[in-house]
Structure formats: C-alpha cells, structure tokens
Amino acid sequence: MEFKNITVIGSGTMGLGIAHVAAAGNFKVILNDVDTKSLEKALSTIQKNLAKSVELGKILQNAMDLALSNITLNTNLEDSVRQSDFVVEAIPERIDWKIDLFTKIDKVCKEHTIFASNTSGLSITEMAGTTSRPEKFIGMHFFNPVHKMKLIEIIRGLETSDETCKITEEISVKMGKETVEVNESPGFVTSRINAMIGNEAFFMLQEGVASAKDIDKAIKLGLNHPMGPFEMIDLVGLDTRLNILKYLHKSLGEKYRPCPLIEKYVNAGRLGKKVGKGVYEY
Ligand code: NAD
C-alpha cells in the first residue's frame, strides 16, 4: 500500500516544519489547526523558508512550487483526517489534549492509518492504549527548526508493530531525514539529556554562577555545542521545556525537579523566541 496522504495536526513551531518537509517529500499534506491565524502564519513561514532555500541554491524554484502545491489548510478535524494514510500530531505537550485528539480521530480514520505523535517526552504507549490501533501508533520526534534538523527519533511504544516502524522510517527518509529507533522511556534520548542541561543552566543562573550570555558562551566555545542552553530553551519555548521537566520529574524522580526560575519566567510570559522574549529579548 502506498502512503501518500499525510495530515499534520497543529500548525505551530513544529507542525509547520513537519508540513514543510512532508510536502517537500512529495506527500499530499493537510495542515490542520483549531486556529485559522496560526494556519495562515504557518503557510507564510513555510513559503519564506522555501524561498530562502531557493535563494541559497539548495532547491530549485519548481521544487518550491511543487511543495507549496502539496499543502492544504483545514480547520475541520474530521475532514482533515478522513482520507489520511499517516497522521502526525503536533499540538501542545498536554497528554489530556493529545488523548482527546487521538480518541476523536481514531473513530474517523481508515483502518490502515498510522498515528504518530511528535511529543517531546510523553508516553506513546499511554496514548496508543486509548485508541483501537496501538500497533499502528508511534512516536516521531522531530527537531526545531524541522526543515534544517537532520534527525527524527522514532519511538516504539509497547505495542508498536515492526511494520509501523518500517513505514515510519521510509516516510522519514522521504522527508529527507535520518532516524534512530528508541524504545519508549520518558524523554527518550534527546529530550532527557537536553532537559537536564537546560535545567542545570537555569540553576546556575539562579545561583548567580554566571550571566546567561556567559553560560551560553562557555558551553558553545568550551564544549563545542552549536547552541548555548539558553539559546536552545528560547527556541524550544520555556513553557514546552517546563512541561517536559514536570513530566520527567514525575516519572523519573527528583533529579529532574524544574528549577524555580524557569517557572518564574513562564509565569511572567517569557516563553521564548515565539513571543519575542524568553531568557533573551528578541
Ligand atoms: P506550538 O504551541 O508552537 O503549536 C501548537 C499548535 O497546536 C498551535 O498552533 C495551536 O493552535 C494548535 N492546537 C492546539 N490544540 C489543537 C487541537 N486540538 N487541534 C488542532 N490544533 C491544535 O507548539 P510546538 O512547539 O509546535 O509543539 C508541538 C508539540 O511538539 C509538543 O508536543 C512539543 O512538546 C513537541 N516538540 C516541540 C519542539 C520544539 O522545539 N518546540 C521540539 C520537538 C517536539
């Protein structure tokens, strides 16, 4: 069976990037969101990012035109998934919201349709268990910015079938990505390590060990990380990162307790680059 139609649910930071790489991989993509403004903004960002790739000589103009012609926007959930072969969920990191969404689409989707969640660290097995297709449920952890980052962590839930893993890997390759397979565990590989580094950086900032700028500089120039932990957390979103830490704390223990300073920033609305201010001002 050919998997041709992909639906991406949630058109925020990640959803728009996933729609971009899926469309560039010549899948027919429906991008769904509850918010029309978010959809419009997503399409204009995809256009801008594709135009930049053309300008840099990475893709040809006709590849950009083809990718854009593959994307349709839709705010109706049922209509967005009815014909879909593969659904990628990229709504906010709330297990109750995600379960509610998967329960709804499970009733409408075709039998062969695979569900993939782009969660940063929630349980694939738990979400899969609320649907009638746990063997066709998988984690597909993309990285931000999706059109530039090479990796997808493919997460196997307890019941995920080999066939689902194989199809997801093939789709990832068509999207131009490399994959690693990870058995489900809170935070997988990357979010668990990344959350720890970011949390430790916040504790240092709170204790006055160094300024945010100098902590970032030290990690970049001393440890050869391409981004500092605060640059990274501003890109990911402080709210997203806090939710991940809360989940890791609950599931893996005390080591992951969120630094109070992150909570303070989130309460102040400093959510990162997406709102123009996080640890830094943009
Ligand atoms: P975001 O807040 O930028 O976007 C979420 C979008 O989902 C919004 O446009 C919102 O309107 C929409 N939405 C909310 N509820 C919806 C629903 N029921 N149906 C349809 N649309 C709905 O969030 P994001 O940063 O793109 O994160 C999305 C997911 O990806 C989260 O699970 C997050 O943990 C994960 N993730 C994020 C990053 C990152 O760097 N931001 C990286 C990897 C994974």
Side-chain angles (χ1 to χ4, degrees):
M1 152 155 321
E2 198 194 0
F3 279 63
K4 191 72 202 136
N5 299 307
I6 295 186
T7 303
V8 180
I9 306 179
S11 65
T13 313
M14 297 307 289
L16 76 89
I18 298 166
H20 173 150
V21 295
N26 207 17
F27 291 99
K28 293 285 171 211
V29 180
I30 295 182
L31 181 56
N32 170 280
D33 203 291
V34 285
D35 179 7
T36 313
K37 281 210 183 84
S38 174
L39 281 176
E40 286 162 1
K41 192 169 157 217
L43 188 60
S44 103
T45 306
I46 295 170
Q47 273 165 333
K48 215 170 61 198
N49 291 340
L50 282 166
K52 187 81 191 165
S53 299
V54 173
E55 196 187 307
L56 294 173
K58 289 185 176 164
I59 60 166
L60 295 171
Q61 180 65 45
N62 59 4
M64 168 171 171
D65 297 342
L66 178 72
L68 287 175
S69 72
N70 280 335
I71 301 176
T72 310
L73 307 179
N74 200 321
T75 51
N76 182 296
L77 183 65
E78 282 75 19
D79 289 348
S80 298
V81 298
R82 222 181 293 277
Q83 294 305 321
S84 189
D85 302 308
F86 196 91
V87 177
V88 187
E89 166 277 312
I91 71 169
E93 190 76 341
R94 290 271 309 262
I95 189 105
D96 49 339
W97 292 12
K98 291 185 193 274
I99 286 177
D100 180 58
L101 180 83
F102 283 119
T103 312
K104 281 185 188 145
I105 66 171
D106 192 32
K107 298 191 183 100
V108 187
C109 283
K110 295 188 201 164
E111 211 182 307
H112 73 268
T113 308
I114 291 176
F115 292 174
S117 173
N118 179 48
T119 175
S120 306
L122 300 175
S123 168
I124 298 302
T125 305
E126 185 179 351
M127 288 186 267
T130 64
T131 71
S132 65
R133 59 186 86 209
E135 74 291 351
K136 296 195 191 78
F137 201 111
I138 198 157
M140 214 179 175
H141 185 213
F142 290 83
F143 295 83
N144 185 19
V146 177
H147 68 291
K148 289 191 181 157
M149 298 294 286
K150 258 315 214 190
L151 185 70
I152 300 176
E153 265 182 310
I154 292 183
I155 318 298
R156 285 187 88 117
L158 189 68
E159 309 279 2
T160 309
S161 70
D162 291 344
E163 175 73 1
T164 298
C165 271
K166 187 170 153 277
I167 293 167
T168 306
E169 207 173 308
E170 285 165 3
I171 288 174
S172 304
V173 170
K174 284 188 186 158
M175 289 176 173
K177 303 299 176 196
E178 301 258 355
T179 60
V180 288
E181 198 179 302
V182 180
N183 288 320
E184 180 184 322
S185 168
F188 320 134
V189 172
T190 53
S191 299
R192 182 163 158 181
I193 297 265
N194 214 8
M196 260 328 236
I197 294 173
N199 207 31
E200 198 55 39
F202 258 104
F203 275 116
M204 285 187 189
L205 189 64
Q206 184 176 272
E207 290 161 21
V209 171
S211 68
K213 226 170 146 207
D214 277 353
I215 293 171
D216 274 350
K217 191 172 174 185
I219 301 303
K220 282 191 288 185
L221 301 186
L223 301 184
N224 222 8
H225 289 208
M227 291 177 88
F230 295 119
E231 290 169 347
M232 173 71 90
I233 199 169
D234 271 359
L235 185 66
V236 170
L238 277 77
D239 49 342
T240 302
R241 178 56 68 79
L242 180 61
N243 284 333
I244 298 166
L245 276 166
K246 282 182 176 166
Y247 177 72
L248 291 176
H249 181 221
K250 200 174 88 184
S251 48
L252 295 174
E254 203 47 34
K255 197 162 74 167
Y256 298 89
R257 178 184 289 282
C259 173
L261 191 59
I262 301 187
E263 305 223 28
K264 211 178 204 178
Y265 274 61
V266 170
N267 289 339
R270 302 190 73 102
L271 304 184
K273 229 173 175 174
K274 62 185 172 187
V275 297
K277 56 180 184 173
V279 179
Y280 300 111
E281 307 261 342
Y282 297 90

